[in-house]
Amino acid sequence: MDSAKQTSTPPKKLRPLIAEPPDDHDERGNLLNIALGATIVSRSGEASLDSSALMAVDGDPISGWTSPPGDLEQSLVVALPTRSRIDRIGVLNVTKAPGAGSLAFESSIDGVEFRPLGTIVAKQVEDLQLIAVPPTDSAFLRVTMKPGASSPRAISILSAQARGRELEVPRPGRLDGCWSVNEAKARFAQRGAHVRGIIEGEAPTFLDGGSDGRFFRLAWMRGPQYGMAGLSVSPDGKHLSGIVWYEEAIPLFFGTCWLGEQRACVNVLALPEEQVFRAFLDRVHRFPLYGLRFDSNGSLIAEESQDMLALLESFLRRNPAVPLRLAAHEFHEADAERNRARAQRELDSLKSELQRLQVELTHVTFVAIGSDHPRQQPLTEAQRGLYSSIDLELPPAPGSTMQ
């Protein structure tokens, strides 16, 4: 299904403020999670991009996939980040609107031939519903949302679930090349983990970020607007799925969904160099260094991080008189102490590499913050990924100059 072109005007409030933050613990074991690399490769339809099929795999327990009015049976196909053995399927249904009557799952190795995996009757209850299925190796899952006995105008679910274990190391596709994103022309350049990009529109959207090995984390700007985005790319490199937020990655500032397919490069767009980097430092006095790649122990993978390191090195050398801070935030560990420890390991590894490059660091303060004093409390795995970063920070002092 083709989706509407993006607009350059931020939307009105799309979701209500909530008194209690949602708990995403039911999403953390879900293989159908964009932050783990799950990618929508096709879907039959949705009411709008704000309630697209991507909302069923975004890891957010308060967002939902809604059918078009009067056209209730809808399907999506998800590429898993790697071949996996599925042994349970499930659904988190809506409770305060018409929900799906059932979810039918089919599995595939090649994305062409699908075989039934199981069907779960979807009760309208708050708890996650899971059923066991015969253990089945899958690289793709097709999920079909079906109505129940009543005939509502539209139906919704909050989350489609698949449980099991990955059989191989995930190898996400690259963003390099030209794309159609929400029908708009787009182009990305990926060097190691670092990515720069542009998406056409009434005003172009410029992006800068990087891959954590499963998930691409991006900072973006469009005219005076800026924000954060996270996206996955299917292992074959032909499809992408993304979520966009204005300014901060919180439900109130949700922007839209990106759904894209790789395209031939025609009338190639010019990519930004330091546009996003400079704009973030000018406007919010910080920039998340998403193009730095660390392993699970917190050690810098220098080869993958080379392009981002070169940008950081150049900036530090050009601004030896400006007091700077490199602040490490981390939200993936089980508690605050472990988050601080992992943040410290990442900082130590980055500092060691900068010293090896003989960069003067007397004007740089290194601070391992971990999950203490979060700018925003992340509520989903995608948001934890976006807020787990080393940020280059500038003092917001009047009259300070950058080179």
Side-chain angles (χ1 to χ4, degrees):
M1 172 179 172
D2 292 335
S3 49
K5 292 185 178 180
Q6 64 184 29
T7 65
S8 60
T9 303
K12 301 292 184 182
K13 184 173 71 174
L14 296 175
R15 304 183 188 182
L17 285 169
I18 49 178
E20 294 292 332
D23 184 347
D24 77 329
H25 71 278
D26 284 333
E27 297 293 335
R28 299 190 190 188
N30 186 10
L31 295 174
L32 301 182
N33 190 321
I34 183 176
L36 300 181
T39 307
I40 301 287
V41 299
S42 68
R43 82 268 192 215
S44 58
E46 60 255 336
S48 70
L49 275 181
D50 301 333
S51 58
S52 76
L54 181 55
M55 298 289 95
V57 299
D58 66 345
D60 186 340
I62 65 171
S63 69
W65 173 29
T66 300
S67 70
D71 190 6
L72 305 185
E73 186 170 319
Q74 299 296 330
S75 296
L76 61 84
V77 176
V78 180
L80 298 172
T82 187
R83 184 186 294 234
S84 302
R85 184 158 297 154
I86 309 299
D87 56 27
R88 286 176 295 166
I89 58 174
V91 60
L92 186 63
N93 212 351
V94 299
T95 58
K96 296 182 180 179
S102 64
L103 245 62
F105 288 75
E106 301 166 90
S107 68
S108 174
I109 292 297
D110 59 8
V112 176
E113 182 180 352
F114 286 83
R115 296 184 177 182
L117 181 62
T119 297
I120 183 169
V121 175
K123 300 176 183 178
Q124 284 199 245
V125 296
E126 292 185 357
D127 296 333
L128 172 65
Q129 302 161 66
L130 290 170
I131 63 169
V133 295
T136 304
D137 293 359
S138 305
F140 298 84
L141 288 178
R142 180 158 60 205
V143 182
T144 302
M145 178 170 60
K146 299 183 178 183
S150 63
S151 300
R153 182 167 172 76
I155 58 175
S156 303
I157 63 167
L158 298 176
S159 174
Q161 297 264 336
R163 302 298 181 97
R165 63 184 179 90
E166 294 178 339
L167 301 177
E168 301 169 348
V169 175
R171 292 182 174 84
R174 292 175 58 82
L175 262 176
D176 221 31
C178 297
W179 297 77
S180 172
V181 177
N182 295 4
E183 295 185 1
K185 287 175 56 179
R187 181 186 171 208
F188 295 92
Q190 182 175 350
R191 298 172 183 166
H194 190 206
V195 170
R196 293 175 297 119
I198 181 173
I199 301 175
E200 280 191 351
E202 294 176 16
T205 300
F206 299 101
L207 307 104
D208 194 305
S211 171
D212 66 4
R214 286 179 178 264
F215 184 58
F216 289 89
R217 304 169 300 159
L218 302 162
W220 64 266
M221 57 165 288
R222 182 170 57 242
Q225 301 167 0
Y226 66 92
M228 307 166 76
L231 62 84
S232 59
V233 177
S234 58
D236 63 6
K238 295 180 180 179
H239 306 272
L240 66 79
S241 301
I243 309 170
V244 187
W245 292 270
Y246 287 87
E247 299 186 13
E248 298 285 358
I250 59 176
L252 182 62
F253 293 169
F254 169 77
T256 192
C257 296
W258 283 339
L259 293 149
E261 297 181 348
Q262 198 167 57
R263 291 285 186 265
C265 288
V266 179
N267 298 324
V268 175
L269 306 169
L271 287 170
E273 288 295 334
E274 294 189 12
Q275 247 172 307
V276 181
F277 177 75
R278 302 284 300 205
F280 266 68
L281 291 178
D282 286 340
R283 295 175 191 179
V284 295
H285 310 290
R286 58 177 165 76
F287 181 77
L289 301 173
Y290 290 144
L292 297 178
R293 175 86 186 278
F294 296 87
D295 65 22
S296 59
N297 294 319
S299 297
L300 183 72
I301 305 175
E303 183 177 0
E304 288 288 296
S305 304
Q306 187 174 1
D307 203 55
M308 187 82 257
L309 280 168
L311 177 61
L312 177 60
E313 176 189 0
S314 174
F315 182 81
L316 294 177
R317 291 189 190 281
R318 294 197 310 263
N319 295 277
V322 178
L324 303 171
R325 189 168 90 149
L326 286 167
H329 306 268
E330 182 57 57
F331 294 91
H332 286 114
E333 300 295 337
D335 54 50
E337 183 178 356
R338 294 178 189 179
N339 279 323
R340 281 194 302 273
R342 180 167 168 178
Q344 187 65 62
R345 292 193 299 271
E346 292 179 352
L347 270 183
D348 291 343
S349 183
L350 174 59
K351 184 176 182 179
S352 177
E353 181 63 20
L354 291 171
Q355 289 172 331
R356 189 190 69 79
L357 295 170
Q358 299 182 338
V359 179
E360 176 58 56
L361 299 175
T362 55
H363 61 306
V364 182
T365 303
F366 293 79
V367 183
I369 298 174
S371 55
D372 298 331
H373 315 297
R375 191 170 74 248
Q376 298 290 338
Q377 186 62 52
L379 304 176
T380 69
E381 193 63 21
Q383 293 166 14
R384 280 187 285 276
L386 286 164
Y387 284 113
S388 295
S389 64
I390 294 182
D391 292 355
L392 173 64
E393 298 180 350
L394 281 175
S400 63
T401 58
M402 292 186 304
Q403 299 295 320

